[in-house]
């Protein structure tokens, strides 16, 4: 039987089943290798040795002292009502002063045995004040057996790694476990090719692991982090490069539009000319569609830059070439909206097989989960016979029952809401792999695009079409200046009186049962916490208050995701037709809702939304010829990060700039969130914005290596690292079921 390689050894064998169980359940660590890659979040310095006479408050200190006395007290408490609670008080002295240490509960037994009067030890902990006396609660300590100054100095000067921990497993226990397995680091197989590592002056992997977990100096930490960042960037980029390479080997049907077909007929009837950007991006897409391997393209565009039009032209080109195109939207509201706008844009070109349809016309069908049985049956029939050239739908398109006559192109709207596996399920419906166009209105900095969507080529639409109006954005500090909020409602009235419409967006619906415990907690909160602690404002409450108060007499309706689909559709139709003045909604309107007559938006509790989300929402106004107005209402005090975030949104309409700010303020985890299974958990030391150069260089190196040796036969270490990354990905696929 082969010996298990040291790094694949299960933690159960090395650390014992109880510790291994907690590590697996709470930290996702199963093997020695997993644990070695669980890096410290930061490092504490134990502090230089401090004399007891001059202890600073609230700081981490290390003292060497002798135990003067130790007493065990029992007491009654809520946890130990029968007087069984235990508290150990130890007084220590170093000749310059005295200090009390306290230990509670089960933590008293070990120090009670070890800290006997006369014992010398080093104590490390945070100085606090109790009953006007300085104390250290539950300090870490190390008994000094031999009286050598060297142990004192090295122990006090050491950098203590602080690990991402859980309530069940403290950082220092993780640290101890890592010290147990650290010798195995010598056997870590290096994923970086030698030439790459030496060319960039990076330390070998075993040395990096040793230095990150047991650094002697801050330079050690820097060396280790520089090396480990490269590992993460490079292995991820190799995975993506191999995916690109494999995709480029797949066969696909080239789709070239007929010279005088559907696309030309559509272009001829457009009431405006396409922007330079739209023409450039369309050319990139048409060039890809004409090749015999599948297109994989990410189309990023500012809110309102005309992405849907570009995507529609690509779909028409494919229909022209005899294929079918499917557009996948994340919500029913958006699928219905897309369907409506596509049919409107195409006019009688969307009436294939119907009276009034013209010669080149095709049929455009809608497929969503909540459709009636008859409508659904007809839509499925139109797809399988090829009668429908274009289908627009939600996840319902991915179901097994849905079959296509000849699926040539898949357009995915708002990629970040679809996992890789859903993309693949839809692609699997073509006789040969269909071409893929992914759209997002949340602009992504180039590096994130390379990290998350590294298997896609990127096109960017950064020009707004002529006739789009600028949007003025302002922060409304409702708590500091209530009259600003009153003025905001006056502005909404003025817009409506001028013949326009407005949105009011709230974070919550308001039909949930509010938790009474939470409500009581909120009542006890300090005034400055109230804006944070109170439940977010709700659509139903706000609509009611506005109808009775500042917007009395206006036609107000509500819209939220949990409404029955027919009701949602009816509300949107009335708003689009101008029969409603003010729509009070949740973020269900965030993407794709297009009502050119809506010019004002008030976002309540704006601080509860992310930067990209606010930018998306704001893009719903100013879609016609009248200028747009977006008011960000917040009760947060001026100096808070939340208010700074809002100020940033108000200050720029550049989505790429905002997405950088957003990324810098959020953790990468959110960003890499649903985008690419497996990519998410692989980033431990790499930060997408700070490490732009590393990611770009890693992508270049990875592409070169995969082009030369797609199977990585000459790089066994890299293959191992890749299997570990993709194994994680497979596990996550299974979890998502």
């Amino acid at each position: 039987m082969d010996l298990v390689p040291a790094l694949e050894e299960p933690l159960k064998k090395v650390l014992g089943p109880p510790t291994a169980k907690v590590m697996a359940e709470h930290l996702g660590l199963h093997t020695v290798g997993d644990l070695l890659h669980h890096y410290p979040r930061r490092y504490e310095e134990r502090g230089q040795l401090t004399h007891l006479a001059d202890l600073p408050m609230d700081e981490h200190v290390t003292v060497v002292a002798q135990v003067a006395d130790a007493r065990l007290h029992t007491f009654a408490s809520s946890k130990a009502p029968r007087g069984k609670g235990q508290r150990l008080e130890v007084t220590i002295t170093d000749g310059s002063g005295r200090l009390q240490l306290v230990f509670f509960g089960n933590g008293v037994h070990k120090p009670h045995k070890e800290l006997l009067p006369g014992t010398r030890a080093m104590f490390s902990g945070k100085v606090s004040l109790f009953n006007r006396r300085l104390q250290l609660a539950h300090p870490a300590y190390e008994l000094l057996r031999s009286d050598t100054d060297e142990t004192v100095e090295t122990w006090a000067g050491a950098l203590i790694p602080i690990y991402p921990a859980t309530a069940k497993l403290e950082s220092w226990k993780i640290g101890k476990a890592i010290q147990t397995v650290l010798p195995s680091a010598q056997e870590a197989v290096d994923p970086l090719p030698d030439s790459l590592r030496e060319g960039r002056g990076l330390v070998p992997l075993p040395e990096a692991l040793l230095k990150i977990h047991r650094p002697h100096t801050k330079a050690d930490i820097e060396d280790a982090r520089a090396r480990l960042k490269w590992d993460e960037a490079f292995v991820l980029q190799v995975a993506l490069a191999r995916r690109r390479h494999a995709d480029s080997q797949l066969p696909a049907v080239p789709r070239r539009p007929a010279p005088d077909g559907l696309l030309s007929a559509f272009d001829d009837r457009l009431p405006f000319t396409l922007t330079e950007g739209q023409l450039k991006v369309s050319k990139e897409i048409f060039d890809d569609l004409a090749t015999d391997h599948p297109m994989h393209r990410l189309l990023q565009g500012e809110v309102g830059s005309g992405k849907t039009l570009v995507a529609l032209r690509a779909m028409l080109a494919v229909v022209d070439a005899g294929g079918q195109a499917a557009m996948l939207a994340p919500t029913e509201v958006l699928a219905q909206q897309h369907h409506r706008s596509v049919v409107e844009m195409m006019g009688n070109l969307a009436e294939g097989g119907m009276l009034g349809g013209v010669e080149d016309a095709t049929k455009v069908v809608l497929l969503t989960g909540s459709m009636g049985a008859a409508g659904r049956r007809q839509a499925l029939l139109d797809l399988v016979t090829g009668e429908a050239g274009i289908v627009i739908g939600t996840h319902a398109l991915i179901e097994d029952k849905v079959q296509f006559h000849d699926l040539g192109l898949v357009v995915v709207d708002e990629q970040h809401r679809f996992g890789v596996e859903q993309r693949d399920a839809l692609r699997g419906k073509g006789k040969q792999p269909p071409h893929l166009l992914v759209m997002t209105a949340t602009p992504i900095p180039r590096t994130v695009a390379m990290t998350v969507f590294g298997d896609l080529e990127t096109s960017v639409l950064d020009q707004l079409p002529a006739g789009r109006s600028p949007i003025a954005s302002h922060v409304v500090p409702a708590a500091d200046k209530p009259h600003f909020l009153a003025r905001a409602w006056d502005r909404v009235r003025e817009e409506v009186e001028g013949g326009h419409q407005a949105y009011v967006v709230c974070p919550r619906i308001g039909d949930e049962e509010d938790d009474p415990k939470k409500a009581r907690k909120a009542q006890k909160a300090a005034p400055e916490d109230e804006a944070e602690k109170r439940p977010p404002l709700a659509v139903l409450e706000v609509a009611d208050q506005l109808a009775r108060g500042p917007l009395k007499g206006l036609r107000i309706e509500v819209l939220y995701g949990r409404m029955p689909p027919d009701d949602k559709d009816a509300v949107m139709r009335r708003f689009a037709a101008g029969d409603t003045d003010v729509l009070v909604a949740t973020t269900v309107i965030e993407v794709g809702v297009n009502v050119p007559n809506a010019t004002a938006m008030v976002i309540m509790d704006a601080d509860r939304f992310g930067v990209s989300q606010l930018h998306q929402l704001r893009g719903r106004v100013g879609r016609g010829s009248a200028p747009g107005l977006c008011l960000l209402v917040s009760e947060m005090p001026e100096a808070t990060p939340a208010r700074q975030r809002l100020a940033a949104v108000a200050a720029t309409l550049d989505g790429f700039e905002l997405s950088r700010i957003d990324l810098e303020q959020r953790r990468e985890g959110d960003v890499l969130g649903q985008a690419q299974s497996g990519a998410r958990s692989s980033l431990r030391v790499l930060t997408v914005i700070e490490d732009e150069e590393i990611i770009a260089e890693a992508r270049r190196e990875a592409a070169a290596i995969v082009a030369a040796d797609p199977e990585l036969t000459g790089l066994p270490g890299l293959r191992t690292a890749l299997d570990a990354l993709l194994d994680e990905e497979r596990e996550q696929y299974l979890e998502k079921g």
Side-chain angles (χ1 to χ4, degrees):
M1 192 181 120
D2 287 347
L3 283 173
V4 177
L7 269 68
E8 286 169 33
E9 189 79 57
L11 289 173
K12 198 158 49 193
K13 284 194 172 166
V14 189
L15 303 174
T19 308
K21 185 169 184 253
V22 176
M23 287 197 167
E25 283 175 10
H26 294 274
L27 296 167
L29 307 175
H30 304 275
T31 64
V32 168
D34 291 344
L35 183 55
L36 286 173
H37 287 294
H38 187 72
Y39 307 134
R41 183 187 291 125
R42 59 191 172 82
Y43 299 84
E44 282 278 2
E45 293 182 71
R46 278 205 173 94
Q48 295 320 302
L49 293 175
T50 317
H51 288 299
L52 293 185
D54 29 77
L55 284 179
M57 269 297 290
D58 275 341
E59 274 187 33
H60 205 92
V61 299
T62 301
V63 297
V64 174
Q66 194 164 354
V67 177
D69 71 72
R71 295 177 189 188
L72 193 61
H73 302 276
T74 54
F75 60 90
S77 73
S78 57
K79 285 187 183 162
R82 300 202 186 88
K84 296 272 176 68
Q86 293 192 310
R87 181 174 78 246
L88 175 66
E89 290 179 2
V90 178
T91 308
I92 56 172
T93 175
D94 68 347
S96 73
R98 292 166 88 80
L99 178 67
Q100 188 166 37
L101 317 176
V102 284
F103 300 88
F104 290 99
N106 295 337
V108 304
H109 306 307
K110 188 165 172 274
H112 191 220
K113 279 206 294 259
E114 293 183 339
L115 297 179
L116 304 171
T119 309
R120 264 186 106 246
M122 268 181 291
F123 303 91
S124 182
K126 200 172 176 188
V127 184
S128 57
L129 200 60
F130 182 70
N131 280 346
R132 288 192 237 164
R133 288 167 66 189
L134 292 181
Q135 70 167 28
L136 298 182
H138 284 280
Y141 64 86
E142 186 139 309
L143 303 178
L144 294 175
R145 313 282 178 202
S146 60
D147 196 4
T148 61
D149 284 344
E150 188 209 10
T151 44
V152 176
E153 285 311 316
T154 53
W155 196 80
L159 293 156
I160 309 169
I162 306 294
Y163 289 94
T166 76
K168 296 260 193 280
L169 205 62
E170 298 94 336
S171 166
W172 61 270
K173 283 188 183 157
I174 295 170
K176 275 204 159 140
I178 283 172
Q179 295 304 338
T180 309
V181 301
L182 205 50
S184 309
Q186 291 308 328
E187 298 182 42
V189 185
D190 204 322
L192 294 190
D194 292 346
S195 56
L196 190 158
R197 186 173 59 71
E198 288 157 9
R200 295 183 181 276
L202 300 168
V203 300
L205 181 58
E207 187 183 328
L209 290 171
L210 213 60
K211 283 181 165 176
I212 198 135
H213 291 299
R214 198 187 271 168
H216 295 297
T217 62
K218 290 187 176 160
D220 283 354
I221 301 171
E222 287 311 303
D223 284 354
R225 288 180 71 86
R227 162 62 216 247
L228 296 167
K229 280 181 176 188
W230 251 95
D231 275 22
E232 287 183 7
F234 180 70
V235 174
L236 183 58
Q237 291 301 343
V238 167
L240 294 170
R242 287 187 74 199
R243 192 179 165 106
R244 278 198 305 279
H245 179 79
D247 283 340
S248 71
Q249 305 303 303
L250 292 171
V253 180
R255 310 279 179 173
R256 295 183 186 86
D260 293 314
L262 185 56
L263 179 62
S264 309
F266 175 75
D267 283 350
D268 289 345
R269 62 176 54 202
L270 276 179
F272 48 80
T273 50
L274 296 171
T275 65
E276 267 174 57
Q278 285 172 324
L279 288 168
K280 176 176 138 296
V281 168
S282 288
K283 182 179 182 320
E284 291 170 352
I285 293 171
F286 291 151
D287 288 351
D288 282 1
L289 289 174
T291 60
D292 54 10
H293 56 83
M295 162 172 86
H296 284 106
R297 195 165 275 286
L298 172 69
L299 171 56
Q300 302 199 59
E302 276 293 4
V303 179
S305 56
K307 288 183 302 301
T308 314
L309 179 61
V310 168
L312 175 56
R313 292 183 75 238
M315 294 198 286
L316 294 174
V318 168
V319 175
D320 247 356
Q324 290 169 294
M327 182 185 243
L328 197 55
T331 63
E332 291 212 350
V333 166
L334 192 51
Q336 288 163 343
Q337 176 84 29
H338 276 319
H339 181 252
R340 254 201 312 277
S341 61
V342 164
V343 169
E344 276 166 22
M345 280 197 267
M346 286 177 66
N348 58 5
L349 292 174
E351 293 169 5
M354 294 185 245
L355 280 172
V358 288
E359 189 191 343
D360 291 309
T362 186
K363 202 167 180 184
V364 180
V365 300
L366 176 70
L367 188 63
T368 64
S370 66
M371 282 171 79
R376 189 180 173 77
R377 246 197 325 274
Q378 185 58 51
L380 291 173
L381 190 64
D382 287 342
L383 286 180
V384 78
T385 58
E387 185 80 14
I390 293 177
V391 58
I392 295 170
T394 53
H395 285 72
L397 282 177
I398 301 174
E399 290 170 12
D400 294 341
K401 290 199 282 289
V402 181
Q403 291 180 338
F404 290 84
H405 177 64
D406 178 14
L407 181 60
L409 169 67
V410 175
V411 178
V412 180
D413 191 15
E414 282 314 307
Q415 155 67 21
H416 60 272
R417 307 190 183 200
F418 287 105
V420 173
E421 65 274 35
Q422 290 155 321
R423 248 161 57 180
D424 287 347
L426 193 52
R427 288 206 324 232
K429 293 193 176 291
K431 293 193 176 66
Q432 283 194 323
H435 299 279
L436 175 72
L437 179 65
V438 167
M439 301 197 296
T440 176
T442 311
I444 307 168
R446 180 169 154 270
T447 41
V448 183
M450 285 187 334
T451 311
V452 183
F453 304 109
D455 56 337
L456 302 174
E457 298 301 323
T458 307
S459 295
V460 178
L461 270 177
D462 45 14
Q463 241 181 324
L464 287 185
R468 282 299 300 260
S469 307
I471 305 169
S473 307
H474 304 284
V475 179
V476 177
D480 316 348
K481 298 178 176 164
H483 60 286
F484 276 36
L485 183 57
R487 175 73 188 118
W489 300 126
D490 290 346
R491 282 292 290 112
V492 171
R493 263 190 185 285
E494 287 163 19
E495 290 297 313
V496 173
E497 281 160 11
H500 297 296
Q501 291 160 279
Y503 298 98
V504 177
V505 182
C506 306
R508 204 165 56 98
I509 300 172
D511 60 354
E512 314 88 344
E513 286 298 307
D514 282 331
D515 184 346
K517 278 188 206 156
K518 282 186 188 163
R520 276 203 299 279
K521 261 188 182 166
Q523 283 165 6
K524 290 181 192 162
E528 64 273 19
D529 291 345
E530 262 169 22
E532 273 282 22
K533 295 284 193 300
R534 68 163 169 71
L537 290 170
V539 165
L540 300 175
E541 295 155 17
V542 168
D544 188 45
Q545 288 163 9
L546 292 175
R548 285 183 293 149
L551 301 185
K552 194 172 175 180
L554 300 186
R555 297 168 299 175
I556 297 175
E557 289 212 58
V558 298
L559 180 71
Y560 50 87
R562 288 217 299 268
M563 285 165 73
D566 291 350
D567 295 2
K568 276 192 284 208
D569 202 33
V571 168
M572 272 317 300
R573 279 177 192 278
R574 285 195 292 274
F575 190 63
D579 298 338
T580 305
D581 299 320
V582 179
L583 188 62
V584 183
T586 56
T587 54
V588 67
I589 63 155
E590 172 187 357
V591 187
V593 173
N594 184 22
V595 180
N597 193 43
T599 52
M601 175 177 285
V602 181
I603 303 180
M604 307 303 290
D605 279 342
D607 48 87
R608 311 268 179 141
F609 299 99
V611 169
S612 298
Q613 206 172 22
L614 291 169
H615 183 57
Q616 283 272 34
L617 286 165
R618 167 171 68 183
R620 300 303 112 213
V621 296
R623 298 178 80 83
S625 51
L629 172 70
C630 178
L631 301 173
L632 307 167
V633 179
S634 170
E635 293 188 3
M636 297 304 283
E638 195 167 358
T640 54
R643 275 284 291 278
Q644 288 162 1
R645 209 168 58 231
L646 295 182
V649 174
T652 177
L653 288 171
D654 179 343
F656 285 89
E657 178 54 34
L658 286 174
S659 64
R660 285 187 71 94
I661 294 169
D662 197 15
L663 245 183
E664 281 161 4
Q665 292 184 342
R666 287 173 11 185
R667 296 191 328 281
E668 248 81 28
D670 305 350
V671 178
L672 299 181
Q674 295 306 315
Q676 183 99 318
S677 307
R680 159 160 96 244
S681 42
S682 64
L683 294 199
R684 297 184 176 97
V685 282
L686 194 70
T687 51
V688 177
I689 284 286
E690 284 171 27
D691 301 321
E692 280 186 72
E693 281 172 27
I694 294 179
I695 292 169
E697 286 173 27
R699 183 177 167 115
R700 277 197 296 276
E701 295 271 9
I705 280 170
V706 170
D709 178 7
E711 292 305 307
L712 308 178
T713 37
L715 297 164
L718 180 53
R719 280 204 68 107
T720 308
L722 211 53
D723 291 342
L725 175 74
L726 298 177
D727 204 38
E728 202 160 35
E729 195 165 336
R730 278 201 295 276
E731 264 177 29
Q732 283 175 342
Y733 280 178
L734 293 174
E735 275 169 30
K736 287 181 180 175

